[in-house]
Amino acid sequence: MKLVHPLMKYVRPGAISTATCAGCGDGIMAQAVLRAIDELELNIDDFVFVSGIGCAGWIPSPFFNADTLHTTHGRPIAFASGVKLARPDRKVVVISGDGDLAAIGGNHLIHAARRNIGMTVICANNGIYGMTGGQVAPTTPLGLKTTTTPYGNVERAFDLCALVEAAGASYVARWTTYHARGLTRSVKKALTKRGFSFIEVLSQCPVQYGRRTGVGNAVAMMKGYKENSLSVKKAASLNEEELKNKIIVGELVDKDSPELTEEIEKVRRIHE
Amino acid sequence: MIEIDEDLCKGCEICVAFCAKDVLEMSDKFNKKGVHPPLVVREEDCNLCGNCMLYCPDLAIVVAEEEESG
C-alpha cells in the first residue's frame, strides 16, 4: 500500500515540488502551517494567503491550493488589510520573509499591529537577502560577513517580536524551524486568535547564509538553532549578558484587545 | 512504516541528521532531480516519532503506523 502524505491534499497540483533550495527552512514552515490547518479541521477555502516578494513569498503561492495573492515587494500586509476589510469573514494569513515584511514593508507591519487588524502574519526570518545573493538585511546578526558587508555587519539586527509587541499586536511568538512542533502549536493559536497575530520563524538559508558566511549546511544551521535557543521561561531568569546571541523561543504576547474590523462594524451600526 | 517519495527529495539530509534512531542513510543512487535521496535501512529501529516527516522541507516523507493485514 502506498502512503500519501496527509498534507498533500492542500498542495496545488502542478506545484507539488517546492520552489525552494535543498534544505531551505521555508518548506518546514509551509508544512507547519498546513498541519495547523489540518489539525484545526479548518477549510482551506476559507483562507486568503497573501505573500510578497522573496523566497518565503513562494510558501503559499503557488504551493497552497487555496486563494493566494502574490503581491508587490513589501506590500503583502497592505493588500491583506484590504482583503480583510472587504471580507472580514475570511481568515487572512500573510506569509513572507524578513526582507519583505520588516525591511521594505516595515511600516505596514507596525501599522497593522497598531490597528490590531484580524490577520495572522508569519515571517520567515533567514537574516539575509537570500534570493538576491546574500546581501545584508535589517535582521542580519551583528558582525556577520555577507556579500555587502565583507568586513562584518556593523548594524544591529531588528528584534521583530519586540517591534510588533510594542505596536500593540494581540499575539506574538517566535520559533525556529528546529521547533516545528511548537511552531505548529503557535500557528493553531494564531489562526484562532482575535486581532493581529505575528509569528517570527527563524528559517535557515543554507545557500546564501550558511554557505557564504561559513555557518554550514541546513543540518548545521538547524543544530545551531537547537543549541542557541532558550524558552521564554528560562530566559526570564537570565541577565542580558547571558542572553547575548541567544534565540528566545515561545509565546511572547497573548492578550485580548479590540480588533479593527469589529470596531468598524460597531461604528457602522451606530450610524445606520 | 516510512515511505519516501524519492523524486520529491532534494537531498538536504535533514531527515538523516534528525532521526533519533539512526534509521535513515543517504543512498548512492540518483533521483529524477539528480540528487541522492535517503534510504530506510533500519526500519525495525523506527519508533514512529515522525521527526523525518516533520522536518522534510519537501513533503517527501510519510511515517505511519503499519496497518494490520487480514
Short mmCIF file of all heavy atoms in Angstrom, two decimals, chain A residues 1-3 5-6 8 16-18 20 22-24 27-28 31 35 177-178 180-181 204 219 222, chain B residues 1 3 8 10 12-14 17-18 33 49-51 53-59 61-62 64 67:
data_model
loop_
_atom_site.label_atom_id
_atom_site.label_comp_id
_atom_site.label_asym_id
_atom_site.label_seq_id
_atom_site.Cartn_x
_atom_site.Cartn_y
_atom_site.Cartn_z
N MET A 1 0.84 -1.20 0.00
CA MET A 1 0.00 0.00 0.00
C MET A 1 0.88 1.25 0.00
O MET A 1 1.80 1.38 0.79
CB MET A 1 -0.89 -0.01 1.25
CG MET A 1 -1.89 1.11 1.28
SD MET A 1 -2.71 1.24 2.88
CE MET A 1 -1.40 1.90 3.90
N LYS A 2 0.58 2.15 -0.91
CA LYS A 2 1.39 3.37 -0.98
C LYS A 2 0.79 4.42 -0.05
O LYS A 2 -0.41 4.70 -0.08
CB LYS A 2 1.41 3.87 -2.42
CG LYS A 2 2.47 4.96 -2.62
CD LYS A 2 2.64 5.26 -4.10
CE LYS A 2 3.24 6.64 -4.31
NZ LYS A 2 4.48 6.90 -3.61
N LEU A 3 1.64 4.99 0.81
CA LEU A 3 1.18 6.02 1.72
C LEU A 3 1.17 7.37 1.01
O LEU A 3 2.06 7.67 0.24
CB LEU A 3 2.12 6.12 2.92
CG LEU A 3 2.15 4.96 3.90
CD1 LEU A 3 3.28 5.16 4.89
CD2 LEU A 3 0.84 4.85 4.65
N HIS A 5 1.07 11.50 1.67
CA HIS A 5 1.32 12.50 2.72
C HIS A 5 -0.01 13.16 3.12
O HIS A 5 -0.74 13.64 2.25
CB HIS A 5 2.31 13.55 2.21
CG HIS A 5 2.97 14.32 3.32
ND1 HIS A 5 2.27 15.18 4.13
CD2 HIS A 5 4.25 14.33 3.77
CE1 HIS A 5 3.11 15.70 5.02
NE2 HIS A 5 4.32 15.19 4.82
N PRO A 6 -0.31 13.19 4.44
CA PRO A 6 -1.62 13.73 4.85
C PRO A 6 -1.84 15.20 4.48
O PRO A 6 -2.98 15.67 4.48
CB PRO A 6 -1.60 13.55 6.38
CG PRO A 6 -0.18 13.33 6.74
CD PRO A 6 0.47 12.69 5.56
N MET A 8 -0.70 16.53 1.57
CA MET A 8 -0.68 16.69 0.10
C MET A 8 -2.00 17.21 -0.44
O MET A 8 -2.03 17.84 -1.50
CB MET A 8 -0.35 15.35 -0.56
CG MET A 8 1.02 15.16 -1.14
SD MET A 8 1.88 16.56 -1.79
CE MET A 8 3.55 15.97 -1.72
N ILE A 16 3.64 20.65 -6.75
CA ILE A 16 3.95 19.72 -5.67
C ILE A 16 5.42 19.82 -5.22
O ILE A 16 5.71 19.74 -4.04
CB ILE A 16 3.56 18.27 -6.09
CG1 ILE A 16 2.03 18.17 -6.02
CG2 ILE A 16 4.19 17.22 -5.19
CD1 ILE A 16 1.46 16.91 -6.60
N SER A 17 6.31 20.02 -6.17
CA SER A 17 7.71 20.19 -5.80
C SER A 17 7.92 21.65 -5.40
O SER A 17 7.65 22.56 -6.16
CB SER A 17 8.61 19.83 -6.98
OG SER A 17 9.94 19.79 -6.58
N THR A 18 8.38 21.88 -4.15
CA THR A 18 8.51 23.24 -3.64
C THR A 18 9.52 24.04 -4.45
O THR A 18 10.45 23.49 -5.03
CB THR A 18 8.96 23.24 -2.16
OG1 THR A 18 10.15 22.46 -2.05
CG2 THR A 18 7.91 22.69 -1.24
N THR A 20 11.73 26.06 -3.33
CA THR A 20 12.89 26.46 -2.54
C THR A 20 14.11 25.55 -2.78
O THR A 20 13.98 24.46 -3.31
CB THR A 20 12.52 26.44 -1.06
OG1 THR A 20 11.95 25.17 -0.77
CG2 THR A 20 11.55 27.53 -0.71
N ALA A 22 17.43 23.14 -1.74
CA ALA A 22 17.55 21.97 -0.87
C ALA A 22 17.87 22.41 0.56
O ALA A 22 18.77 23.21 0.77
CB ALA A 22 18.64 21.06 -1.40
N GLY A 23 17.09 21.91 1.51
CA GLY A 23 17.34 22.22 2.92
C GLY A 23 16.79 23.53 3.41
O GLY A 23 16.97 23.90 4.57
N CYS A 24 16.09 24.27 2.56
CA CYS A 24 15.52 25.57 2.96
C CYS A 24 14.46 25.37 4.04
O CYS A 24 13.62 24.48 3.95
CB CYS A 24 14.89 26.25 1.75
SG CYS A 24 14.08 27.80 2.16
N GLY A 27 10.25 25.27 3.58
CA GLY A 27 9.43 24.08 3.39
C GLY A 27 8.90 23.54 4.71
O GLY A 27 7.77 23.06 4.79
N ILE A 28 9.74 23.62 5.75
CA ILE A 28 9.32 23.16 7.08
C ILE A 28 8.20 24.08 7.60
O ILE A 28 7.24 23.63 8.21
CB ILE A 28 10.53 23.13 8.05
CG1 ILE A 28 11.63 22.22 7.49
CG2 ILE A 28 10.11 22.70 9.45
CD1 ILE A 28 12.94 22.23 8.26
N GLN A 31 4.94 23.32 5.82
CA GLN A 31 4.33 22.11 6.38
C GLN A 31 3.67 22.40 7.73
O GLN A 31 2.59 21.89 8.02
CB GLN A 31 5.42 21.05 6.54
CG GLN A 31 4.86 19.66 6.58
CD GLN A 31 5.90 18.59 6.86
OE1 GLN A 31 5.62 17.68 7.59
NE2 GLN A 31 7.07 18.67 6.27
N ARG A 35 -0.17 21.82 8.53
CA ARG A 35 -0.51 20.88 9.60
C ARG A 35 -1.45 21.54 10.62
O ARG A 35 -2.38 20.91 11.11
CB ARG A 35 0.74 20.35 10.30
CG ARG A 35 0.41 19.27 11.32
CD ARG A 35 1.62 18.63 11.97
NE ARG A 35 2.43 17.90 11.01
CZ ARG A 35 3.59 18.30 10.54
NH1 ARG A 35 4.10 19.42 10.97
NH2 ARG A 35 4.25 17.60 9.67
N THR A 177 12.90 26.80 12.80
CA THR A 177 12.45 25.62 12.06
C THR A 177 12.75 24.34 12.84
O THR A 177 12.11 23.32 12.64
CB THR A 177 13.12 25.54 10.68
OG1 THR A 177 14.52 25.77 10.84
CG2 THR A 177 12.55 26.56 9.73
N TYR A 178 13.73 24.40 13.75
CA TYR A 178 14.01 23.23 14.58
C TYR A 178 12.81 22.94 15.49
O TYR A 178 12.51 21.79 15.79
CB TYR A 178 15.29 23.44 15.42
CG TYR A 178 15.49 22.33 16.41
CD1 TYR A 178 15.93 21.07 15.99
CD2 TYR A 178 15.21 22.50 17.77
CE1 TYR A 178 16.07 20.03 16.89
CE2 TYR A 178 15.35 21.47 18.66
CZ TYR A 178 15.79 20.23 18.23
OH TYR A 178 15.91 19.20 19.11
N ALA A 180 9.64 22.80 15.10
CA ALA A 180 8.48 22.70 14.20
C ALA A 180 7.19 22.35 14.95
O ALA A 180 6.11 22.79 14.56
CB ALA A 180 8.76 21.68 13.11
N ARG A 181 7.31 21.59 16.03
CA ARG A 181 6.09 21.23 16.78
C ARG A 181 5.54 22.44 17.52
O ARG A 181 4.32 22.69 17.52
CB ARG A 181 6.39 20.08 17.75
CG ARG A 181 6.59 18.76 17.05
CD ARG A 181 6.70 17.59 18.02
NE ARG A 181 6.78 16.33 17.30
CZ ARG A 181 7.92 15.79 16.86
NH1 ARG A 181 9.06 16.40 17.10
NH2 ARG A 181 7.91 14.65 16.20
N GLN A 204 16.35 28.57 8.14
CA GLN A 204 17.71 28.53 7.59
C GLN A 204 17.74 28.75 6.09
O GLN A 204 16.88 28.27 5.37
CB GLN A 204 18.38 27.18 7.94
CG GLN A 204 17.90 25.97 7.18
CD GLN A 204 16.71 25.31 7.84
OE1 GLN A 204 16.06 25.88 8.70
NE2 GLN A 204 16.41 24.09 7.43
N VAL A 219 21.65 21.25 7.91
CA VAL A 219 21.69 20.48 9.16
C VAL A 219 22.45 21.26 10.23
O VAL A 219 22.00 21.37 11.38
CB VAL A 219 22.34 19.09 8.91
CG1 VAL A 219 22.55 18.35 10.21
CG2 VAL A 219 21.49 18.27 7.94
N MET A 222 20.31 24.14 11.51
CA MET A 222 19.22 23.72 12.40
C MET A 222 19.77 23.29 13.76
O MET A 222 19.15 23.53 14.79
CB MET A 222 18.41 22.59 11.76
CG MET A 222 17.45 23.12 10.70
SD MET A 222 16.50 21.82 9.94
CE MET A 222 15.34 21.43 11.25
N MET B 1 5.54 2.48 9.46
CA MET B 1 6.31 2.35 8.23
C MET B 1 6.68 3.72 7.66
O MET B 1 5.98 4.69 7.90
CB MET B 1 5.55 1.50 7.20
CG MET B 1 4.25 2.10 6.71
SD MET B 1 3.27 0.93 5.75
CE MET B 1 4.07 0.98 4.17
N GLU B 3 7.67 5.90 4.25
CA GLU B 3 7.70 5.87 2.79
C GLU B 3 8.31 7.18 2.28
O GLU B 3 7.96 8.26 2.73
CB GLU B 3 6.29 5.69 2.25
CG GLU B 3 6.33 5.39 0.77
CD GLU B 3 5.09 4.66 0.32
OE1 GLU B 3 4.78 3.58 0.86
OE2 GLU B 3 4.42 5.19 -0.58
N LEU B 8 10.66 13.68 -5.01
CA LEU B 8 10.43 14.99 -4.40
C LEU B 8 11.66 15.44 -3.61
O LEU B 8 11.81 16.60 -3.27
CB LEU B 8 9.22 14.95 -3.46
CG LEU B 8 7.84 14.98 -4.09
CD1 LEU B 8 6.77 14.96 -3.00
CD2 LEU B 8 7.65 16.24 -4.94
N LYS B 10 15.26 16.62 -2.33
CA LYS B 10 16.32 17.48 -2.88
C LYS B 10 17.67 17.15 -2.24
O LYS B 10 18.64 17.88 -2.43
CB LYS B 10 15.96 18.94 -2.67
CG LYS B 10 14.79 19.39 -3.52
CD LYS B 10 14.42 20.83 -3.22
CE LYS B 10 13.16 21.22 -3.98
NZ LYS B 10 12.54 22.40 -3.40
N CYS B 12 18.76 17.18 1.04
CA CYS B 12 19.31 18.09 2.05
C CYS B 12 19.87 17.36 3.28
O CYS B 12 20.60 17.95 4.06
CB CYS B 12 18.26 19.10 2.48
SG CYS B 12 16.90 18.40 3.41
N GLU B 13 19.49 16.12 3.47
CA GLU B 13 19.98 15.26 4.56
C GLU B 13 19.46 15.63 5.95
O GLU B 13 19.97 15.13 6.95
CB GLU B 13 21.52 15.20 4.59
CG GLU B 13 22.11 14.72 3.27
CD GLU B 13 23.63 14.55 3.30
OE1 GLU B 13 24.20 14.40 4.40
OE2 GLU B 13 24.23 14.53 2.22
N ILE B 14 18.47 16.51 6.03
CA ILE B 14 17.91 16.88 7.33
C ILE B 14 17.29 15.65 8.02
O ILE B 14 17.49 15.43 9.21
CB ILE B 14 16.86 18.03 7.19
CG1 ILE B 14 17.56 19.33 6.79
CG2 ILE B 14 16.07 18.23 8.47
CD1 ILE B 14 16.64 20.49 6.50
N ALA B 17 19.94 13.46 9.59
CA ALA B 17 20.57 14.07 10.75
C ALA B 17 19.67 14.11 11.98
O ALA B 17 20.14 13.99 13.11
CB ALA B 17 21.02 15.48 10.40
N PHE B 18 18.36 14.27 11.78
CA PHE B 18 17.47 14.43 12.92
C PHE B 18 16.70 13.17 13.29
O PHE B 18 15.81 13.21 14.12
CB PHE B 18 16.52 15.63 12.71
CG PHE B 18 17.24 16.94 12.83
CD1 PHE B 18 17.74 17.59 11.72
CD2 PHE B 18 17.46 17.50 14.07
CE1 PHE B 18 18.44 18.78 11.84
CE2 PHE B 18 18.16 18.70 14.21
CZ PHE B 18 18.65 19.34 13.08
N LYS B 33 15.80 14.42 -9.84
CA LYS B 33 16.43 15.74 -9.73
C LYS B 33 17.96 15.66 -9.78
O LYS B 33 18.64 16.68 -9.76
CB LYS B 33 16.02 16.39 -8.39
CG LYS B 33 14.59 16.86 -8.35
CD LYS B 33 14.34 17.65 -7.06
CE LYS B 33 13.05 18.39 -7.07
NZ LYS B 33 11.86 17.57 -6.87
N CYS B 49 8.48 8.42 15.63
CA CYS B 49 8.44 9.76 16.23
C CYS B 49 8.03 10.81 15.20
O CYS B 49 7.52 11.86 15.56
CB CYS B 49 9.77 10.12 16.88
SG CYS B 49 11.09 10.52 15.71
N GLY B 50 8.31 10.54 13.94
CA GLY B 50 7.87 11.46 12.88
C GLY B 50 8.78 12.65 12.64
O GLY B 50 8.40 13.58 11.93
N ASN B 51 9.97 12.67 13.23
CA ASN B 51 10.88 13.80 13.01
C ASN B 51 11.21 14.00 11.54
O ASN B 51 11.23 15.11 11.05
CB ASN B 51 12.20 13.57 13.79
CG ASN B 51 12.15 14.17 15.18
OD1 ASN B 51 11.15 14.76 15.57
ND2 ASN B 51 13.22 14.01 15.92
N MET B 53 9.52 13.21 8.92
CA MET B 53 8.35 13.73 8.21
C MET B 53 8.13 15.21 8.52
O MET B 53 7.88 16.02 7.64
CB MET B 53 7.13 12.91 8.65
CG MET B 53 5.85 13.24 7.97
SD MET B 53 4.60 12.13 8.64
CE MET B 53 3.15 12.74 7.87
N LEU B 54 8.30 15.55 9.79
CA LEU B 54 8.10 16.91 10.29
C LEU B 54 9.11 17.89 9.70
O LEU B 54 8.79 19.02 9.38
CB LEU B 54 8.26 16.89 11.81
CG LEU B 54 7.93 18.13 12.60
CD1 LEU B 54 6.43 18.25 12.75
CD2 LEU B 54 8.56 18.06 13.98
N TYR B 55 10.36 17.43 9.57
CA TYR B 55 11.43 18.31 9.13
C TYR B 55 11.67 18.27 7.62
O TYR B 55 12.46 19.04 7.11
CB TYR B 55 12.74 17.95 9.84
CG TYR B 55 12.78 18.34 11.30
CD1 TYR B 55 13.30 17.48 12.27
CD2 TYR B 55 12.32 19.58 11.71
CE1 TYR B 55 13.34 17.84 13.61
CE2 TYR B 55 12.36 19.95 13.05
CZ TYR B 55 12.88 19.08 13.99
OH TYR B 55 12.91 19.46 15.31
N CYS B 56 11.05 17.36 6.90
CA CYS B 56 11.30 17.29 5.46
C CYS B 56 10.72 18.54 4.79
O CYS B 56 9.51 18.75 4.78
CB CYS B 56 10.66 16.05 4.83
SG CYS B 56 10.93 16.06 3.03
N PRO B 57 11.56 19.40 4.22
CA PRO B 57 11.03 20.64 3.63
C PRO B 57 10.24 20.40 2.34
O PRO B 57 9.66 21.33 1.82
CB PRO B 57 12.29 21.46 3.33
CG PRO B 57 13.43 20.77 4.01
CD PRO B 57 13.04 19.34 4.12
N ASP B 58 10.25 19.18 1.85
CA ASP B 58 9.63 18.92 0.55
C ASP B 58 8.47 17.94 0.60
O ASP B 58 8.05 17.44 -0.45
CB ASP B 58 10.71 18.45 -0.42
CG ASP B 58 11.73 19.55 -0.64
OD1 ASP B 58 11.38 20.53 -1.29
OD2 ASP B 58 12.85 19.44 -0.11
N LEU B 59 7.98 17.66 1.79
CA LEU B 59 6.84 16.75 1.98
C LEU B 59 7.09 15.39 1.31
O LEU B 59 6.18 14.78 0.77
CB LEU B 59 5.55 17.37 1.44
CG LEU B 59 4.69 18.19 2.40
CD1 LEU B 59 5.39 19.49 2.78
CD2 LEU B 59 3.32 18.52 1.84
N ILE B 61 8.47 12.67 2.83
CA ILE B 61 8.48 11.51 3.73
C ILE B 61 7.14 11.38 4.45
O ILE B 61 6.59 12.36 4.96
CB ILE B 61 9.63 11.62 4.76
CG1 ILE B 61 10.96 11.86 4.05
CG2 ILE B 61 9.69 10.36 5.63
CD1 ILE B 61 12.15 12.00 4.96
N VAL B 62 6.62 10.17 4.50
CA VAL B 62 5.40 9.88 5.25
C VAL B 62 5.73 8.78 6.25
O VAL B 62 6.33 7.77 5.90
CB VAL B 62 4.26 9.40 4.33
CG1 VAL B 62 2.96 9.29 5.11
CG2 VAL B 62 4.08 10.32 3.15
N ALA B 64 3.82 6.38 9.11
CA ALA B 64 2.52 5.97 9.63
C ALA B 64 2.62 4.60 10.27
O ALA B 64 3.53 3.83 9.95
CB ALA B 64 1.49 5.94 8.50
N GLU B 67 -0.62 -0.80 9.06
CA GLU B 67 -1.98 -1.36 9.21
C GLU B 67 -1.89 -2.87 9.25
O GLU B 67 -1.17 -3.48 8.48
CB GLU B 67 -2.85 -0.92 8.04
CG GLU B 67 -3.56 0.38 8.32
CD GLU B 67 -4.45 0.80 7.16
OE1 GLU B 67 -5.16 -0.07 6.63
OE2 GLU B 67 -4.40 1.97 6.80
#
